[in-house]
Amino acid sequence: MGDYIVLAISCILVNNILLAQYLGNCPFLGTSKKMETAVGMAMAVVFVLVMAGVITWIVNTYILQKYDLVFLQTIAFILVIAALVQFVEMFLKKSIPALYSGLGIFLPLITTNCAVMGVCLINMKEEYNFLQALVASFSYAVGYGLALVLFAGIRERILLARVPTPLQDTSIALVTAGILSLTFFAFKGMV
Amino acid sequence: MAKTLVQEFTKGLWEEIPPFRLVLGLCPTLAVTKSVENGIGMGVATTFVLVFSNILISALRKLIPSKVRIAAYIVIIAAFVTVVELLMQAFTYPLFLKLGIFIPLIVVNCIVLGRAEAFASKNGILPSTADGLGIGIGFTLALGALGAVREVLGAGTFLGHAVFGPSFEPFTFMVKAPGAFMCLGLMLCLMNLVGKK
């Protein structure tokens, strides 16, 4: 049990998927301008990532490894993720239309969110067992959501500040992300 | 005709150079630019995928039904990424190990899918090739430049050769994650300064 808690903490804080492993940055910058979209995106990522982590683990273990097809991993994983995202999109459109329109184009873009694909690949690389893969996927997703929501809060404040013209928009956002990343860096050595 | 091809090619080098003008494909940009070598290796691999997927998608653009086009594009891109992955594993094994999971992650690089959707699906084979090549080379240059800044400051080396004397204390900050974000942000700021005469 202790091992799983250590794994969870390391995935949420120490190896934060966004700020320490640099995955999923495009939607991170794209949806963090408003708190509302950031929260929506964070929830969508948690949902998709956990399911993707579990399903790719099953596909990898019971199909790819069994029949010696591991070289098809990239194609197989991206197909699983694309299908999942389609499903989430249909689900949100039907049941939560407000959130659906709020997320806009970023929902289909979860397919190309490297965080989702990246976590699936990390799970395979570290050779996690089923429970570890589940815990890791969930914790990475929570870490992603945490970083995204924190960053959205900061960016809403930046809107009120006077930023020099060349630094505006993406540029200042990246510098701010660097500072946020520095704070997460302090967790290194905790686990 | 020849002139427009040149235009399609050169726009990727300055006007639409990723990741500065088109803020896409940030993850590999941040992650692999610890050194010039990694940056350029990643850029070349991405260019390969970009050119071939652009060619194939442009050739098939009338056959792919528009409803399932994204899925079709992703499968095409994933196939080329697998090709690159296997080639790199065979011929440049040390680089393959260094880039790690970021090679399969070219599949989800927004630049590749972005070009497929915005350009190759609407244009002929030749312009699409020029577009893929231009954007790819622009991306390689950008990664090389970012890698150069980070390697020189963060490790005191350029392509593995020491630049400064032995008394130089490297800014380890630059090769770590926070340095990556800030370095890219400041380079973007520099581009804005130069671009807005």
Side-chain angles (χ1 to χ4, degrees):
Chain A
M1 189 62 208
D3 289 351
Y4 291 108
I5 294 172
V6 170
L7 180 68
I9 291 174
S10 104
C11 294
I12 296 176
L13 296 176
V14 183
N15 293 318
N16 187 286
I17 190 83
L18 253 173
L19 298 168
Q21 313 233 27
Y22 324 89
L23 292 170
N25 277 298
C26 307
F28 175 58
L29 290 170
T31 54
S32 59
K33 279 185 185 157
K34 267 198 198 150
M35 185 58 93
E36 223 171 284
T37 46
V39 172
M41 185 70 183
M43 282 178 350
V45 166
V46 171
F47 189 54
V48 173
L49 224 171
V50 172
M51 288 176 77
V54 168
I55 296 175
T56 52
W57 188 90
I58 294 170
V59 167
N60 194 55
T61 313
Y62 292 108
I63 300 176
L64 297 181
Q65 282 179 352
K66 199 172 173 191
Y67 298 104
D68 214 9
L69 290 171
V70 180
F71 65 93
L72 286 179
Q73 208 177 42
T74 314
I75 299 183
F77 282 15
I78 195 70
L79 284 177
V80 167
I81 293 167
L84 248 177
V85 170
Q86 196 81 49
F87 167 73
V88 172
E89 204 181 335
M90 274 155 40
F91 173 77
L92 282 184
K93 204 172 179 177
K94 266 256 163 82
S95 46
I96 322 175
L99 184 58
Y100 175 79
S101 52
L103 287 175
I105 64 157
F106 284 99
L107 195 59
L109 276 183
I110 292 190
T111 313
T112 54
N113 184 336
C114 4
V116 177
M117 180 86 172
V119 168
C120 299
L121 290 167
I122 291 171
N123 284 348
M124 300 312 137
K125 207 175 146 209
E126 302 283 330
E127 293 174 349
Y128 286 148
N129 63 32
F130 183 74
L131 212 54
Q132 277 171 327
L134 181 66
V135 172
S137 308
F138 180 71
S139 321
Y140 274 129
V142 170
Y144 188 94
L146 177 69
L148 189 60
V149 170
L150 279 177
F151 190 58
I154 299 175
R155 267 187 104 171
E156 283 192 340
R157 285 299 180 92
I158 291 180
L159 274 183
L160 303 174
R162 262 194 286 163
V163 180
T165 330
L167 262 172
Q168 262 164 13
D169 215 25
T170 322
S171 187
I172 190 77
L174 279 167
V175 175
T176 318
I179 297 170
L180 188 61
S181 160
L182 201 59
T183 59
F184 272 78
F185 208 61
F187 291 117
K188 279 258 153 84
M190 200 168 95
V191 176
Chain B
M1 184 68 188
K3 194 172 171 251
T4 52
L5 276 188
V6 173
Q7 277 172 351
E8 297 304 349
F9 175 71
T10 51
K11 73 162 192 273
L13 301 183
W14 180 252
E15 282 160 49
E16 293 188 12
I17 182 169
F20 299 120
R21 290 294 144 112
L22 300 168
V23 188
L24 291 175
L26 288 175
C27 317
T29 310
L30 294 165
V32 303
T33 52
K34 277 181 195 160
S35 70
V36 184
E37 192 196 344
N38 289 5
I40 292 181
M42 186 69 198
V44 171
T46 311
T47 308
F48 178 89
V49 175
L50 202 51
V51 170
F52 283 95
S53 62
N54 257 9
I55 293 176
L56 194 63
I57 287 166
S58 151
L60 294 176
R61 68 185 188 280
K62 290 186 182 119
L63 292 175
I64 299 174
S66 68
K67 268 193 178 165
V68 294
R69 66 181 192 287
I70 301 289
Y73 297 163
I74 287 182
V75 174
I76 292 173
I77 294 166
F80 283 113
V81 170
T82 309
V83 171
V84 171
E85 213 180 327
L86 294 175
L87 280 177
M88 287 183 80
Q89 202 167 0
F91 295 109
T92 56
Y93 194 60
L95 190 63
F96 174 80
L97 287 183
K98 267 193 215 157
L99 295 181
I101 64 165
F102 287 95
I103 302 171
L105 282 178
I106 297 176
V107 174
V108 286
N109 187 329
C110 334
I111 297 173
V112 183
L113 193 64
R115 290 330 285 175
E117 167 75 8
F119 198 91
S121 61
K122 297 184 188 96
N123 289 283
I125 294 178
L126 273 180
S128 301
T129 315
D131 176 76
L133 206 59
I135 298 276
I137 291 175
F139 188 55
T140 310
L141 286 178
L143 289 191
L146 199 60
V149 173
R150 289 182 64 198
E151 192 182 343
V152 168
L153 292 177
T157 58
F158 184 80
L159 284 171
H161 303 291
V163 178
F164 304 106
S167 59
F168 178 72
E169 191 71 46
F171 311 16
T172 320
F173 171 72
M174 289 306 279
V175 289
K176 295 275 164 34
F181 283 106
M182 281 191 201
C183 195
L184 185 63
L186 294 177
M187 277 181 86
L188 207 63
C189 163
L190 209 66
M191 286 281 290
N192 287 343
L193 264 183
V194 178
K196 286 200 189 92
K197 290 153 204 168

